Amino acid sequence: MSYYVYFDSETFSECDIKKAGTYAYVRHPSTEWIMLQYAVGDGDVVIVDKYGYNEADFAFLQRLAADPEAVFVFWNAPFDRGVLKHCAGVDIPVKRTVDAMAVAASASLPLSLAMCGQAMGLSAEQQKLKGKDPINVFCKPAPKNRKVRRYTPEHYPELWQAFREYGARDVETMRTIHKLLPTTNMRRTERNLWELDTLINERGVRVDVELIHAVLAGI
């Protein structure tokens, strides 16, 4: 019998995802995971911490990925599947994934996890961290005028702990939203289209590069 695995990830990269896009970002040589958060069904959230690495927790994640009965639920599947595949060596087949964000979109709900949660009446308190933004601190290079290339938990231990707790709440929030999401507009036909769209985007589209260069050169 199939079961759900709710998954989220946090990464560090020198690549600007807003400029490069998801697929280039997850393939960038500087991109690496720093936290992998997952929960099996209604179980507790497990956090695989890059800086406090627990091999058993990562090995269990690998076993879940290999289990044909495990269906992984993501919020923005192209990103988290890409992180797992290209940064962690864990490849989840598209057919064993659910993109809760796509399901939310099919119901005209917000694409932001926090905003979707608010629209569905969930508490907004768990969505925000006060003070420093850990994404800017831990997930991006330090400003050029700093002596360090990147910040780690050694620099901000309390903020890192808050980041871990925030990551766990994200998984819990996604799980709650997934259970409440209407699936009326995500039937088999729409699901098949979503799978095809995902595969096309991952594979890319063949283009005639020489022709493009010729057009740009005015030949």
Side-chain angles (χ1 to χ4, degrees):
M1 180 179 292
S2 63
Y3 58 94
Y4 290 119
V5 178
Y6 297 91
F7 180 89
D8 189 27
S9 64
E10 307 296 344
T11 57
F12 169 85
S13 183
E14 296 177 359
C15 178
D16 186 337
I17 192 170
K18 292 182 179 179
K19 294 180 179 179
T22 295
Y23 295 98
Y25 177 90
V26 297
R27 291 170 171 82
H28 195 272
S30 71
T31 303
E32 62 182 78
W33 65 267
I34 54 176
M35 276 200 300
L36 306 175
Q37 306 99 258
Y38 65 91
V40 180
D42 292 326
D44 294 337
V45 177
V46 176
I47 295 181
V48 185
D49 186 332
K50 189 84 169 187
Y51 302 102
Y53 185 68
N54 186 324
E55 184 176 354
D57 288 339
F58 185 76
F60 185 57
L61 177 62
Q62 290 176 309
R63 290 197 295 274
L64 291 170
D67 184 353
E69 298 298 325
V71 177
F72 277 68
V73 181
F74 305 103
W75 192 272
N76 188 11
F79 178 82
D80 287 308
R81 278 190 67 245
V83 169
L84 279 172
K85 181 177 181 178
H86 297 286
C87 303
V90 177
D91 193 2
I92 312 293
V94 175
K95 288 189 176 297
R96 286 204 290 116
T97 65
V98 171
D99 191 338
M101 187 177 78
V103 180
S106 75
S108 298
L109 287 164
L111 303 188
S112 158
L113 181 66
M115 292 181 65
C116 185
Q118 291 176 33
M120 299 181 78
L122 303 185
S123 171
E125 181 64 25
Q126 63 179 346
Q127 302 293 338
K128 297 293 183 182
L129 275 174
K130 297 178 181 179
K132 278 184 182 295
D133 181 359
I135 298 292
N136 289 329
V137 174
F138 298 117
C139 300
K140 302 175 182 180
K144 293 182 179 180
N145 61 349
R146 300 295 193 272
K147 293 183 179 180
V148 297
R149 170 177 170 264
R150 60 188 285 188
Y151 293 115
T152 70
E154 292 185 357
H155 298 98
Y156 296 102
E158 292 183 0
L159 183 62
W160 181 257
Q161 181 57 36
F163 197 23
R164 283 172 53 98
E165 294 169 1
Y166 178 72
R169 290 199 302 271
D170 263 0
V171 173
E172 293 168 349
T173 300
M174 177 173 59
R175 177 168 57 192
T176 301
I177 290 174
H178 175 247
K179 290 180 178 181
L180 295 173
L181 280 173
T183 58
T184 307
N185 296 328
M186 188 57 84
R187 300 300 189 187
R188 174 46 55 186
T189 299
E190 193 64 28
R191 166 74 193 191
N192 289 342
L193 289 173
W194 175 81
E195 290 182 10
L196 179 61
D197 176 76
T198 298
L199 293 172
I200 289 173
N201 279 296
E202 288 185 353
R203 182 187 62 208
V205 179
R206 290 182 181 275
V207 296
D208 188 333
V209 178
E210 291 184 8
L211 176 61
I212 291 174
H213 288 317
V215 171
L216 291 174
I219 299 176

